[in-house]
Amino acid sequence: MHTTPDGRPIPPAHADERAMLEAWLDFHRATLALKCSGLKDDQLRLAAVSPSPMTLLGLVQHMAEVERNWFQRVFMHQDVPPVFGESNADGYALSPDRGLDEAMAAWQAEVARGRELIADASLDDSGRLSAREAAHAGGQEISLRWIMVHMIEEYARHNGHADLIRERIDGVTGV
């Protein structure tokens, strides 16, 4: 496996569909971790720009919730609670007692659980959306392929946010 100079896995130029989707998802997961590396707790809690309360720490927590939602709730039909409690269902709210180490551990646990759940699944296997979610996706049955493409999109969008927040904190930019 080849890596970027900052250590992120480079998706292969040629691979089958499953390997390509997994590689791009792993690349974007590694990008979010990179955006948070080397920062102090107060920097991880710095909001993007007013009026947005979005922070790097909040993004890590949010992506833990996103991982749980799509792989456990939607794809595997599991009834699991929000990662950081019912009062923080989207994961963005920060707790003064929870720092990056705990949030990263929770996020990595959700990533590992998602990988485990889909390891033997076909890209054509389906999960099921709620009626509310289905209104945005065009139907309740949704393939693992769709979920994985959506996860790549979700990470890519939030990595753009993370890049802007990181640039505001210390001027560090990058892909």
Side-chain angles (χ1 to χ4, degrees):
M1 172 180 61
H2 298 286
T3 61
T4 60
D6 54 34
R8 292 173 293 156
I10 298 173
H14 301 279
D16 66 34
E17 182 181 16
R18 178 68 177 255
M20 190 68 73
L21 291 171
E22 289 174 350
W24 276 105
L25 188 50
D26 286 343
F27 174 83
H28 282 292
R29 287 169 172 152
T31 299
L32 180 57
L34 177 69
K35 293 299 171 185
C36 297
S37 67
L39 296 176
K40 296 176 184 163
D41 188 68
D42 62 321
Q43 293 173 309
L44 293 161
R45 295 171 185 275
L46 185 63
V49 292
S50 185
S52 174
M54 187 180 296
T55 66
L56 288 172
L57 183 56
L59 282 172
V60 170
Q61 293 179 169
H62 174 66
M63 291 313 296
E65 185 58 46
V66 168
E67 292 272 353
R68 178 173 282 192
N69 182 62
W70 286 102
F71 294 118
Q72 292 180 56
R73 292 187 192 112
V74 173
F75 188 67
M76 295 302 295
H77 317 284
Q78 296 176 347
D79 184 17
V80 291
V83 178
F84 299 104
E86 294 293 336
S87 64
N88 192 10
D90 65 5
Y92 283 115
L94 303 182
S95 166
D97 300 331
R98 185 176 37 257
L100 184 61
D101 290 345
E102 185 180 343
M104 279 283 194
W107 173 49
Q108 292 302 323
E110 295 304 318
V111 168
R113 181 70 176 135
R115 283 186 178 130
E116 176 186 314
L117 292 173
I118 68 169
D120 296 325
S122 163
L123 291 176
D124 294 320
D125 289 346
S126 291
R128 187 162 179 82
L129 295 171
S130 69
R132 183 183 60 79
E133 293 169 319
H136 300 286
Q140 284 195 291
E141 295 295 316
I142 197 129
S143 71
L144 177 56
R145 176 182 292 102
W146 191 98
I147 292 169
M148 291 184 76
V149 170
H150 174 69
M151 290 295 291
I152 293 164
E153 174 272 329
E154 181 91 2
Y155 272 101
R157 182 166 41 100
H158 287 314
N159 283 338
H161 299 137
D163 196 42
L164 291 171
I165 296 169
R166 181 66 190 248
E167 183 177 13
R168 179 171 184 245
I169 292 169
D170 63 4
V172 171
T173 62
V175 293

